[in-house]
């Protein structure tokens, strides 16, 4: 048999106070005018009775359901990018909110049906996210509620956007090699990620390439070469293998992600070249792979957790405007960078 729900009135009677006093204490409202002894009695009664506030009734009273919706393509289903979800959940918990998550599992879908479902549940706001940084075209219904874009932005920004600072990340990667003395023989593998599926490249590719190039130019230098390719291990292996086979011995590689760096490691190991004794390697993403590679791979981290938390915080601030917030991308220094041979 279902147990009768404990009410605010039950707590008030147990503590020997009015319902108004009990409500003020339990909702942390105007409690400065209520003695500490009375507050302690109310909280003790609440715990003893197992009182849980009626959120449905509260939402009608304050016009807030204390819930936030998160719509994305497939962030939650991806282990690495899923850190954005964890960051948003932790930020929501700290703010006393509940995060509701829905995914389209298809980056070409707008998520309109999920947005409608969230609006039907009267969420207080929406986070509209993407697994990788890109331009999106959200449905018009998104504008009916406060919203923030996470790892994406529309052609016409209707709200704040939170993205990784890929431009600065490119500069950090280049500076790491320059500080180690690598002024010549540095190759960048990955480029803008111009492939059959992405003929215009991707945001991270453009920004990282720009940051790397600008940093070398600022020092009066230039890269020895750049190769556009898919960001997979076999491509890293192929590019490094072809350079070496043609008689070129780079002093360092900058790889657009850790998977490319894995392929480069394999190509170098195959011909007996050591990292970092003969060739240094810097990468991006700082995935688990970077820490497991031997020697450890120096890699610029994607701040997924911080991005998720920041998106939630910006949504709760409910500021007008379309400011783009760029999250810093720290570098994890490991053993893959050394002085030029």
């Amino acid at each position: 048999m279902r147990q009768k729900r404990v009410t605010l009135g039950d707590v008030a009677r147990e503590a020997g106070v009015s319902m108004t006093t009990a409500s003020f204490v339990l909702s942390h409202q105007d409690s400065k005018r209520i003695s500490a002894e009375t507050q302690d009695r109310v909280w003790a009664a609440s715990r003893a009775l197992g009182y849980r506030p009626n959120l449905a009734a509260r939402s009608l009273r304050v016009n807030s359901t204390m819930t936030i919706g998160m719509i994305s393509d497939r962030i939650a289903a991806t282990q690495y990018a899923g850190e954005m979800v964890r960051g948003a959940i932790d930020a929501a918990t700290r703010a006393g909110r509940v995060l509701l998550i829905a995914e389209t599992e298809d980056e070409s879908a707008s998520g309109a049906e999920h947005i409608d479902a969230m609006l039907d549940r009267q969420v207080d706001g929406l986070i509209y996210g993407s697994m990788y940084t890109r331009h999106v075209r959200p449905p018009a219904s998104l504008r009916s509620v406060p919203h923030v874009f996470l790892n994406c932005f529309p052609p016409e920004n209707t709200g704040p956007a939170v993205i990784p600072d890929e431009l600065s990340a490119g500069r950090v990667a280049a500076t790491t090699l320059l500080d180690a003395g690598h002024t010549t023989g540095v190759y960048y593998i990955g480029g803008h990620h111009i492939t059959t599926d992405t003929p215009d490249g991707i945001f991270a590719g453009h920004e990282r390439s720009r940051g790397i190039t600008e940093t070398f130019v600022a020092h009066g230098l230039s890269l020895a070469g750049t190769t556009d390719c898919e960001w997979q291990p076999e491509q890293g292996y192929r590019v490094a293998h072809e350079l070496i086979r043609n008689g070129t011995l780079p002093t360092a590689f900058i790889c657009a992600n850790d998977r490319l760096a894995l392929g480069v490691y394999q190509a170098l190991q195959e011909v007996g070249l050591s990292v970092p004794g003969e060739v240094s390697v810097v990468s991006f993403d700082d995935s688990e792979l970077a820490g497991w590679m031997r020697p450890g791979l120096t890699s610029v981290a994607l701040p997924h957790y911080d991005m998720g938390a920041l998106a939630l915080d910006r949504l709760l601030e409910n500021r007008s405007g379309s400011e783009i917030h760029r999250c810093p991308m720290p570098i994890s220094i490991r053993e893959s960078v050394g002085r030029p041979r």
Side-chain angles (χ1 to χ4, degrees):
M1 185 176 180
R2 187 175 180 180
Q3 189 174 4
K4 180 178 178 293
R5 184 186 181 95
V6 177
T7 67
L8 181 63
D10 295 330
V11 175
R13 282 191 293 273
E14 178 74 12
V17 299
S18 68
M19 284 184 62
T20 300
T21 297
S23 177
F24 279 169
V25 172
L26 296 178
S27 61
H28 304 279
Q29 297 182 45
D30 206 22
S31 58
K32 290 183 180 179
R33 295 192 297 175
I34 301 171
S35 70
E37 186 273 334
T38 298
Q39 291 186 54
D40 289 343
R41 288 207 322 271
V42 172
W43 284 113
S46 173
R47 289 191 293 270
L49 296 175
Y51 171 72
R52 299 288 298 169
N54 188 329
L55 295 181
R58 184 182 185 279
S59 67
L60 292 174
R61 184 171 67 254
V62 301
N63 194 31
S64 171
T65 61
M66 304 297 286
T67 58
I68 301 296
M70 183 173 181
I71 311 293
S72 77
D73 43 18
R74 54 188 188 282
I75 291 176
T78 307
Q79 180 180 3
Y80 188 41
E83 283 292 293
M84 286 188 277
V85 174
R86 191 169 71 87
I89 289 175
D90 287 351
T93 300
R94 288 193 295 270
R97 266 68 169 183
V98 172
L99 189 68
L100 307 179
I101 302 169
E103 298 208 322
T104 66
E105 298 184 357
D106 179 2
E107 67 183 54
S108 65
S110 69
E113 69 281 5
H114 293 316
I115 292 176
D116 290 343
M118 294 289 187
L119 294 178
D120 290 343
R121 287 160 178 76
Q122 298 183 326
V123 294
D124 296 330
L126 282 171
I127 297 174
Y128 192 90
S130 172
M131 188 186 75
Y132 68 94
T133 314
R134 62 188 177 94
H135 288 90
V136 293
R137 292 189 177 277
S141 56
L142 185 64
R143 301 189 182 194
S144 64
V145 67
H147 57 276
V148 170
F149 296 96
L150 173 59
N151 209 25
C152 59
F153 36 85
E156 295 180 3
N157 289 343
T158 58
V162 176
I163 62 173
D165 193 351
E166 300 280 11
L167 180 62
S168 293
R171 293 169 178 158
V172 167
T175 300
T176 299
L177 288 178
L178 290 172
D179 287 348
H182 292 275
T183 57
T184 61
V186 178
Y187 287 79
Y188 177 42
I189 301 179
H192 299 90
H193 198 280
I194 296 175
T195 67
T196 302
D197 293 334
T198 56
D200 297 324
I202 63 174
F203 178 84
H206 291 300
E207 294 285 283
R208 292 174 185 180
S209 295
R210 179 183 161 199
I212 293 166
T213 301
E214 287 181 351
T215 302
F216 271 81
V217 169
H219 287 77
L221 304 169
S222 62
L223 291 168
T226 297
T227 302
D228 265 303
C229 61
E230 292 189 17
W231 295 2
Q232 297 297 333
E234 57 268 26
Q235 297 301 322
Y237 173 86
R238 177 186 62 80
V239 174
H241 177 76
E242 289 179 356
L243 282 171
I244 296 168
R245 184 185 62 186
N246 293 333
T248 300
L249 184 57
T251 65
F253 285 106
I254 302 176
C255 300
N257 70 0
D258 298 337
R259 295 190 298 276
L260 283 167
L262 173 61
V264 169
Y265 267 44
Q266 292 172 335
L268 295 175
Q269 183 181 32
E270 192 174 83
V271 295
L273 294 173
S274 67
V275 177
E278 292 164 289
V279 182
S280 291
V281 183
V282 174
S283 182
F284 294 87
D285 290 356
D286 196 26
S287 62
E288 288 186 2
L289 179 63
W292 279 107
M293 290 168 65
R294 293 294 179 270
L297 176 62
T298 294
S299 186
V300 184
L302 273 168
H304 282 143
Y305 180 91
D306 293 342
M307 290 165 60
L310 181 59
L312 196 289
D313 290 341
R314 289 294 179 267
L315 183 62
L316 295 182
E317 290 175 3
N318 197 20
R319 295 180 181 177
S320 59
S322 56
E323 182 180 358
I324 295 178
H325 304 274
R326 296 177 181 267
C327 277
M329 297 175 63
I331 189 168
S332 293
I333 301 294
R334 299 189 179 93
E335 300 83 24
S336 65
V337 176
R339 302 292 298 178
R341 59 184 180 278

